[in-house]
Amino acid sequence: MLKATRFSGRHYLTRWASVAHRLFNPSSLLFFSLFLSTFIATGVWAQASEVESSQEEILLGMSTALSGPAEQLGKNMLLGVNMQFAKENSQGGINGRQLRLIAMDDGYEPNRTAPNMRTLIEQDKVLAVIGNVGTPTAISAIPIANEKQTLLFAPYTGAGVLRKTPPDRYIINYRASYAEETSTMVDALIKHAGLKPEEIAFFTQRDGYGDAGYIGGITALLKNGLKSKSQVVHGRYERNTLSVDNALADIILAEVTPKAIIMVGAYAPCARFIKLARESGVNALFLNVSFVGSAPLAKQLGESVKGVVVTQVVPHPENLSLPVVKEYQDALTAFAPDALPSFGSLEGYIAAKIMTKALKTISGKPTRESLIDALEALGKFDAGVGNSLYFDANSHQASHMVWPTRLEKGKFVSFEWSDIASFIEQ
């Protein structure tokens, strides 16, 4: 029986995916579901006595936020990856090898990500790192991945630093970029809502994440007629804090009252900013990039708040017309019956699905180099998300799709950009 305990030193080893094949049957499914529910609710991660990869398993790593103000993002990403791995293991694994994931907590702090990456790559000898959360943490992880020639796959960030031309061989992304998200917002606000560029403001995190979203948005505004970025008000806050008051003051005191505010932050400070802004009489439309975390943002805002948009880089997790969503929902039912669907865990599930698709094409035991070769060899492929994805040696971002959602009675629902004018108070 799998023993669930807390491991010292903030090093968590998730082994339940590697035993799912023994548990995935009618007599044991109830036990497994109850165990996973406890796993998710308490944040207790399973420990295993061995960390070296054996010939019978494929060992992968993750450095993510399992504590702190962004912990729900990390936990959702981890859940999605683990559900996909559990599904594969229940069906015999990858060419007979079981998948196993080591998840390490970095608290969304880059000074903790670097040692985590070295531990995973040098000591645990993982095949690849998957699903790390955050831009500032990615900035710490990228040079180590390149130095150690170990894949960093599908990080939960849309920052341009991971999207060089030509791409870094050891950095491969799933999701659309923040520049694509913010430019889509800007195009909709100007073309469909009729706003002037200077009527759009920014609220961002003071780090590489916030800067990536801001630069993408400003670039789009300049293309749409903005004469100078000084015409646009920009409020900022410090990472892993709720100190948003000064940023709000900057926006309230702006010469031009903004009708829309593009937000590039985490769910807790963004929620506080939106609440304080509404209390202060700000009637702007609040538009968040996907990293904010829709589910935790909605939970903190409650059912009465309106005028909040989040762009998504995966389909709606309740859109059962898409094959990958149906698979994901089935995995939730089997492995996490008490967990609610979320965009974050669906992204983790899709990322892991793509990785397992590539792993299945490798003959013999996978290596760090053969995994990258396999991903690049996928070319145009279908992952069930409603549009084709693509990888090759010169294209290391599979998807460029952005889906708009808006907050309605405490939940984010899909809408069409052509309707955005109706959400803005004139």
Side-chain angles (χ1 to χ4, degrees), residues 134-382:
T135 300
T137 51
I139 291 171
S140 291
I142 290 169
I144 298 173
N146 286 327
E147 173 198 346
K148 297 298 180 181
Q149 299 182 336
T150 303
L151 173 64
L152 174 60
F153 183 70
Y156 188 74
T157 169
V161 69
L162 296 104
R163 293 163 170 79
K164 296 180 180 179
T165 303
D168 290 334
R169 174 169 170 79
Y170 300 98
I171 311 298
I172 300 181
N173 303 282
Y174 157 71
R175 56 161 39 224
S177 69
Y178 292 143
E180 288 170 316
E181 290 191 66
T182 54
S183 65
T184 300
M185 293 177 188
V186 167
D187 289 346
L189 290 170
I190 291 177
K191 295 176 182 178
H192 294 298
L195 298 191
K196 300 175 182 177
E198 59 269 23
E199 292 178 321
I200 301 171
F202 288 86
F203 168 75
T204 70
Q205 191 165 280
R206 194 187 300 274
D207 62 6
Y209 162 49
D211 293 346
Y214 172 72
I215 292 170
I218 283 292
T219 301
L221 285 172
L222 291 169
K223 290 179 180 178
N224 280 278
L226 182 69
K227 295 180 180 179
S228 171
K229 65 180 181 181
S230 64
Q231 294 178 283
V232 173
V233 63
H234 182 195
R236 307 175 81 189
Y237 76 96
E238 298 296 331
R239 180 181 65 247
N240 274 348
T241 75
L242 299 176
S243 301
V244 303
D245 304 76
N246 289 340
L248 178 59
D250 291 339
I251 289 174
I252 291 175
L253 297 173
E255 184 175 340
V256 177
T257 301
K259 292 184 178 180
I261 301 173
I262 294 176
M263 310 180 71
V264 188
Y267 57 87
C270 285
R272 186 168 189 271
F273 179 90
I274 292 170
K275 288 179 179 179
L276 290 176
R278 286 285 187 249
E279 292 171 4
S280 301
V282 177
N283 294 319
L285 179 66
F286 301 100
L287 300 100
N288 300 261
V289 296
S290 57
F291 183 85
V292 72
S294 299
L297 180 65
K299 183 177 180 180
Q300 294 209 7
L301 290 176
E303 296 188 5
S304 61
V305 176
K306 298 180 180 180
V308 180
V309 168
V310 175
T311 49
Q312 310 292 351
V313 294
V314 295
H316 199 287
E318 296 182 357
N319 182 3
L320 294 175
S321 66
L322 296 176
V324 76
V325 176
K326 179 63 167 61
E327 292 176 26
Y328 161 81
Q329 288 278 3
D330 289 344
L332 275 174
T333 299
F335 302 120
D338 293 334
L340 296 175
S342 72
F343 292 94
S345 59
L346 176 56
E347 182 169 343
Y349 186 88
I350 293 171
K353 179 181 175 68
I354 295 171
M355 175 170 278
T356 56
K357 182 179 183 69
L359 284 167
K360 290 176 182 178
T361 67
I362 299 173
S363 299
K365 186 175 182 179
T367 67
R368 291 172 175 173
E369 297 296 334
S370 69
L371 175 56
I372 295 173
D373 291 340
L375 284 163
E376 291 181 341
L378 288 176
K380 184 177 180 180
F381 66 98
D382 181 15

Side-chain angles (χ1 to χ4, degrees), residues 19-207:
V19 298
H21 66 294
R22 296 198 300 263
L23 298 169
F24 195 64
N25 59 69
S27 63
S28 59
L29 183 57
L30 178 58
F31 162 78
F32 188 49
S33 297
L34 291 172
F35 164 73
L36 183 55
S37 301
T38 303
F39 171 90
I40 296 163
T42 64
V44 175
W45 316 93
Q47 174 189 354
S49 59
E50 296 289 334
V51 293
E52 293 294 328
S53 178
S54 72
Q55 189 174 359
E56 290 72 36
E57 68 181 6
I58 297 172
L59 184 60
L60 299 157
M62 177 187 290
S63 177
T64 190
L66 301 177
S67 62
E71 66 178 330
Q72 289 304 314
L73 305 181
K75 289 179 179 178
N76 280 335
M77 193 71 175
L78 177 60
L79 171 62
V81 172
N82 265 333
M83 288 196 304
Q84 168 63 21
F85 286 176
K87 175 186 174 183
E88 293 295 337
N89 286 343
S90 72
Q91 298 171 353
I94 305 297
N95 300 325
R97 293 179 173 86
Q98 295 290 290
L99 294 155
R100 187 155 63 91
L101 179 67
I102 298 175
M104 297 187 71
D105 182 17
D106 59 31
Y108 191 41
E109 289 291 353
N111 61 355
R112 293 169 60 184
T113 305
N116 283 357
M117 288 288 291
R118 293 197 179 277
T119 297
L120 290 168
I121 295 171
E122 297 172 0
Q123 297 182 25
D124 299 330
K125 303 187 185 306
V126 298
L127 178 67
V129 176
I130 181 173
N132 287 12
V133 168
T135 300
T137 51
I139 291 171
S140 291
I142 290 169
I144 298 173
N146 286 327
E147 173 198 346
K148 297 298 180 181
Q149 299 182 336
T150 303
L151 173 64
L152 174 60
F153 183 70
Y156 188 74
T157 169
V161 69
L162 296 104
R163 293 163 170 79
K164 296 180 180 179
T165 303
D168 290 334
R169 174 169 170 79
Y170 300 98
I171 311 298
I172 300 181
N173 303 282
Y174 157 71
R175 56 161 39 224
S177 69
Y178 292 143
E180 288 170 316
E181 290 191 66
T182 54
S183 65
T184 300
M185 293 177 188
V186 167
D187 289 346
L189 290 170
I190 291 177
K191 295 176 182 178
H192 294 298
L195 298 191
K196 300 175 182 177
E198 59 269 23
E199 292 178 321
I200 301 171
F202 288 86
F203 168 75
T204 70
Q205 191 165 280
R206 194 187 300 274
D207 62 6

